[in-house]
Structure formats: C-alpha cells, structure tokens
Amino acid sequence: DIVMTQSPDSLAVSLGERATINCKSSQSVLYSSNNKNYLAWYQQKPGQPPKLLIYWASTRESGVPDRFSGSGSATDFTLTVSSLQAEDVAVYYCQQYYDTPHTFGQGTKLEIK
Amino acid sequence: EVQLVESGGVLVPPGGSLRLSCAASGFTFSSYAMTWVRQAPGKGLEWVSVISGSGGTTWYADSVKGRFTISRDNSKNTLFLQMSSLRAEDTALYYCAKDDSSTYYLGVFDSWGQGTLVTVSS
C-alpha cells in the first residue's frame, strides 16, 4: 500500500497569514503516461463530512476559494492557504488515487493562532 | 443537487453482522462508482471499498476483505455495505462517497454523505 505522511500534525496560523501543509507519499503517484499526479486534498470541519478541495495535485474543485492552492509532484506535495480565514479551521487530508487502496494521510489540524 | 444519505448504523456485538445503506439522489447513480470510507472516533479517514457504476467490479481494503461485501441496486439508487464478523476496530462513522468521474473509477470523491455510526461492542 502507498503510505501518505502529512506534516505537521497540527498548525496554528494567524488570521490573514499563510498556512502550508505538506504531504509525502511512499512511492510516486505521478502517472507517466499522462503526466498527472494522482493526489487530492480534502477539508473536514468539525461534525461534517470531508469536502474535496483539490485534485490532480493542483486543480481546485469548483467553488473552492482561490486562496487554496496545491502544488508538488511525484512524492512531495503541498497545500497552501494563502491568507487564512476563520472558516478555514479544519482538518486537512491528502489522498492518493494512484493505486488501490486509495490511502489518506493522517490529517493536519489547522487552527487560528 | 447531489444527496447521499447513509443509514443502518447501530450498536452490534463482536462477531455480529450489519448492512449499511446509502440512498443517492440528484445524479445518474448508475454512471458513477461509489465508495465507502470510514472514520474511527477521533481518527483519520480510511478507504474501505468501492464498486463500479455497473456493479460488476469491486475492490476492498485488506482490513475488511472477506468480511465486508459492497453492492448496489441501480434501480433504487442505493448503495450497500454488508458487514459480517465485526470487530471492535470496525467501530467508525461510515461515509458513502460519489466518485468525481462518470466514465471510470477515478478515486476522487466529490460528494459525501453525513455518515452512519457503527459501534462494535459487547
């Protein structure tokens, strides 16, 4: 199975500041035939189901604010919140869909400092 | 609007069985693969099982293989998860999730239900 490891486990950032969450996969999730990274990011607020933010490592889902961006390739990925808002407090998960089982990272809790 | 509503979660003793359901609406159900993802209390997300739109292909996590069976009834827009030989470690909130692609199973989940809680305890 592909193991997804996120860092840090928790993060406190001031309102309006940048938040960066890292995700590392135990093997590459870059599919050479189409040059796409099979990596998604989800946001889960307390008491709610996860919400898809980004797929193909950097494509924002419709309706997701542009302060959320994804980057990276192969085994190393980053989710950036460019200017943290109060409503962004949540746990964020990366997920690979390169191979089954489609494993998730352990999650990163983002809080306001 | 896509809606996914899970049901069937209850308290069940170890070794017991249970069937979860997920009623879908707002999209052409038979065109999309559907997945079960679970979340143990206070823990992260675990991919459990997926079924293709036609129902002809299924995949399972090793942790549930041989004990859980995923199925679907496209005439009733409903997804199922038959769970047997339940263990304490199966205790979790079980979500059903719709795949983002209508042409093949991608593994990106663009809609989720609210979940149904399964508790395995004596």
Side-chain angles (χ1 to χ4, degrees):
Chain A
D1 297 0
I2 298 176
V3 177
M4 308 300 290
T5 304
Q6 294 180 225
S7 62
D9 289 335
S10 63
L11 180 62
V13 174
S14 301
L15 289 172
E17 295 300 305
R18 178 185 300 260
T20 301
I21 298 171
N22 301 302
C23 175
K24 190 174 185 68
S25 57
S26 60
Q27 65 186 76
S28 176
V29 299
L30 173 62
Y31 195 38
S32 57
S33 66
N34 60 10
N35 200 37
K36 288 189 171 185
N37 288 285
Y38 284 58
L39 190 285
W41 288 95
Y42 298 86
Q43 175 194 63
Q44 187 177 32
K45 296 182 179 180
Q48 295 185 20
K51 173 189 172 183
L52 176 64
L53 294 177
I54 286 169
Y55 55 99
W56 299 130
S58 61
T59 301
R60 258 189 312 275
E61 174 73 337
S62 176
V64 173
D66 61 6
R67 63 180 180 274
F68 291 93
S69 63
S71 62
S73 186
T75 62
D76 292 278
F77 301 91
T78 300
L79 174 70
T80 301
V81 187
S82 61
S83 177
L84 190 70
Q85 305 299 303
E87 61 264 33
D88 300 334
V89 169
V91 178
Y92 292 84
Y93 295 93
C94 62
Q95 177 229 352
Q96 64 81 19
Y97 48 103
Y98 182 88
D99 193 16
T100 55
H102 289 156
T103 43
F104 293 86
Q106 81 276 17
T108 294
K109 187 174 185 179
L110 179 58
E111 300 173 305
I112 305 294
K113 185 187 292 184
Chain B
E1 179 194 4
V2 172
Q3 284 203 328
L4 299 170
V5 180
E6 302 93 338
S7 61
V10 293
L11 172 63
V12 60
S17 298
L18 195 58
R19 189 175 83 157
L20 306 183
S21 300
C22 171
S25 61
F27 63 104
T28 306
F29 183 68
S30 60
S31 294
Y32 292 86
M34 296 293 295
T35 298
W36 288 99
V37 176
R38 69 184 180 183
Q39 187 169 34
K43 302 298 183 182
L45 302 169
E46 181 186 11
W47 179 92
V48 173
S49 181
V50 60
I51 187 167
S52 62
S54 67
T57 305
T58 58
W59 292 270
Y60 298 92
D62 285 347
S63 58
V64 307
K65 200 173 295 182
R67 299 188 300 121
F68 290 11
T69 301
I70 191 170
S71 62
R72 63 193 296 160
D73 183 340
N74 285 344
S75 69
K76 296 183 178 178
N77 290 350
T78 304
L79 173 71
F80 302 102
L81 186 67
Q82 179 69 46
M83 311 165 70
S84 62
S85 302
L86 283 162
R87 307 165 180 167
E89 54 265 35
D90 296 318
T91 294
L93 188 62
Y94 284 74
Y95 294 104
C96 66
K98 170 187 164 291
D99 201 77
D100 191 46
S101 171
S102 63
T103 53
Y104 59 93
Y105 173 53
L106 181 59
V108 174
F109 312 125
D110 64 353
S111 296
W112 299 64
Q114 291 296 316
T116 187
L117 182 62
V118 173
T119 303
V120 183
S121 175
S122 54

